[in-house]
Amino acid sequence: MDSYDDGDVREDPGGPAGHTDEPPAGQGGEPAAGQGDEPAAGQGDEPAAQGPGAPAGPRPGAGIAALSLPYQVAAAVALAVLGVFACVHLAMVFLHVAPSNTLTKQHGEAVDDWIYPEFEQNWKLFAPNPLQQNIGVQARAQVAGEGGRRTTGWIDLTAQDTAAIRGSLLPSHTEQNELRRAWDFYLNTHTDDHRPNGMRGELSESYMRRIVMLRLDGQRLGGTVEKIQLRSVTRPVPSPSWSGEKNGTEPSFRSYPWWRITDADRTEAGR
């Protein structure tokens, strides 16, 4: 029989099998199962399972790869067409601004048809010959009314464009460039004696007539416009105060032949 001295507790070798002084699992220094360094299931780096109401995560794949096969084919074809168009356009612009060569001599007409009038390039803004003049376009008309035929005064079309864009933060491209580009087109396709150089010259005349008719349509001329005449006004840009150059500032005028207005000109201008 075991004896006990002064309340000392002694180990009973005959106690239950496996009983030791070590604390039970989960209460001492050693962690219990599932509480150590290893993360429990669903608590590690992997996100926990989302419920039905949780926001959907990113879809596998991105861009075209996320589309179905028919849409992938359509997108690939569209990108290929855009790529070919961009390459052709860059090649045409390069040939247009490049010096005369074998390709431009053989296919110059095709290059011009692609470039004009929307994509024309020039170097007039840069040295060695930047523009030093302001060129305006004016028009007058021969009008048939109740009192007979009469000729109007000169109407400054360029001044109308200037007034339309002055003070505007986002001026219209048409207000800035329609008349100016049409006038350049006309001058570049005519000889010094006002004769058109082929079909492009005739096209430029029709274009100018219809632009002028659009402008005159807003004027109260008191009759039907039968003929119009254009003239250019060239004003030299004054030299800056710090420059030693001296040039005149008096405007010079150049008048062009009268054009008869056709029904087609009135119809196109009225659209």
Side-chain angles (χ1 to χ4, degrees):
M1 181 174 179
D2 296 335
S3 61
Y4 299 89
D5 294 335
D6 299 328
D8 291 340
V9 179
R10 298 176 183 272
E11 181 179 350
D12 186 1
H19 176 75
T20 64
D21 287 336
E22 294 180 2
Q27 297 181 6
E30 295 296 328
Q35 297 181 3
D37 294 334
E38 295 295 330
Q43 296 181 3
D45 294 334
E46 296 295 327
Q50 298 178 347
R59 296 177 58 185
I64 296 179
L67 302 174
S68 61
L69 182 58
Y71 286 103
Q72 289 184 15
V73 173
V77 171
L79 290 175
V81 171
L82 289 176
V84 171
F85 176 82
C87 292
V88 171
H89 178 68
L90 291 176
M92 290 295 188
V93 173
F94 173 79
L95 291 174
H96 176 67
V97 300
S100 179
N101 54 70
T102 303
L103 284 176
T104 54
K105 290 178 180 178
Q106 294 179 352
H107 307 288
E109 185 175 352
V111 174
D112 289 344
D113 290 342
W114 182 278
I115 293 296
Y116 292 105
E118 290 84 2
F119 307 117
E120 182 182 357
Q121 309 289 315
N122 63 64
W123 303 100
K124 294 181 180 180
L125 181 63
F126 305 101
N129 295 312
L131 287 176
Q132 298 180 356
Q133 299 171 331
N134 288 322
I135 301 176
V137 180
Q138 298 179 351
R140 65 178 178 176
Q142 188 179 93
V143 180
E146 294 181 356
R149 289 182 175 83
R150 66 181 183 87
T151 301
T152 67
W154 290 103
I155 300 171
D156 196 333
L157 306 181
T158 300
Q160 294 176 358
D161 288 351
T162 303
I165 65 175
R166 181 168 290 155
S168 174
L169 296 178
L170 298 173
S172 166
H173 178 75
T174 302
E175 292 171 347
Q176 296 181 79
N177 296 317
E178 181 185 56
L179 178 64
R180 181 178 64 85
R181 301 301 298 127
W183 187 246
D184 286 343
F185 182 30
Y186 173 80
L187 295 180
N188 292 332
T189 55
H190 281 72
T191 62
D192 293 337
D193 56 352
H194 313 300
R195 294 182 181 276
N197 291 326
M199 185 178 297
R200 289 178 55 79
E202 297 174 0
L203 176 63
S204 68
E205 289 185 6
S206 299
Y207 191 35
M208 279 301 307
R209 286 200 305 270
R210 290 168 188 181
I211 289 177
V212 174
M213 288 300 296
L214 278 172
R215 304 299 183 88
L216 296 181
D217 189 52
Q219 306 285 331
R220 296 181 178 178
L221 301 179
T224 302
V225 176
E226 294 184 338
K227 295 181 180 180
I228 61 172
Q229 185 183 23
L230 300 180
R231 76 174 180 180
S232 62
V233 184
T234 303
R235 296 181 175 88
V237 176
S239 301
S241 57
W242 47 263
S243 173
E245 297 181 1
K246 294 185 181 296
N247 56 358
T249 58
E250 292 297 322
S252 60
F253 300 87
R254 182 181 181 185
S255 297
Y256 293 81
W258 285 91
W259 286 335
R260 184 173 298 278
I261 300 302
T262 65
D263 293 336
D265 296 330
R266 296 188 182 92
T267 302
E268 291 294 329
R271 287 184 178 180

